[in-house]
Amino acid sequence: MNVTREMKSFPFDLLLDADPSFENVKEYLERGECYIANQNGKVIGVYVLLQKGSSVEIVNIAIDESDRGQGIGTKLLQDALLRAKQMGAETVEIGTGNSSIGQLALYQKCGFRMMEIQHGYFEDYDEDIIENGIVCRDRIRLSVSIN
Ligand SMILES: CC(C)(COP(=O)(O)OP(=O)(O)OC[C@H]1O[C@@H](n2cnc3c(N)ncnc32)[C@H](O)[C@@H]1OP(=O)(O)O)[C@@H](O)C(=O)NCCC(=O)NCCS
């Protein structure tokens, strides 16, 4: 697998898997840095970084459905932490829904700790999001120090 910065051919199918808001995705692609993971000529993953002062936020991360559960998400998160460090960041943030049990597990396994709950964050989305039988309403912000 090799990870490279992508400036124009963004994998929207993957990006929208992580964030169903096309408006949000378009907006942060303009301001952030998008990295894609390729394996045997196929895009298998993506993440987007957005710098905010001394912190970098992973605003999107997604792995192709057929390639999940093999440690690729973990590898991309580690790659994102390394790049954030090279960007001079002291902390890296990530946010996910209250219903995203697997993501909450993965981020904590990668060292992230819960910082804040943004109550009702997902209630403005056009369609209800239900995962693991749980309605997604609130956003959990997590962060890790990379000093
Ligand atoms: C989230 C996502 C990026 C993870 O990628 P992945 O390649 O499947 O992740 P990995 O295989 O590296 O690791 C998943 C880890 O989470 C753990 N995990 C997942 N679900 C879990 C659960 N319910 N309980 C405990 N651990 C869980 C796995 O056990 C694994 O940890 P391990 O390596 O210690 O076993 C991927 O599922 C995805 O693209 N999802 C859709 C988009 C998305 O939701 N993006 C994030 C938006 S916030």
Side-chain angles (χ1 to χ4, degrees), residues 18 61-63 68-74 95-96 102-103 105-107 109:
I61 181 162
I63 306 301
R68 289 180 195 161
Q70 300 169 40
I72 299 167
T74 305
T96 195
Q103 290 81 341
L106 168 63
Y107 302 154
K109 284 178 182 182

Side-chain angles (χ1 to χ4, degrees), residues 31-33 49-57 84 87-89:
R31 296 192 292 129
E33 298 186 5
L49 301 181
L50 203 57
Q51 186 144 26
K52 303 185 290 185
S54 61
S55 182
V56 161
E57 182 173 355
M87 289 160 80

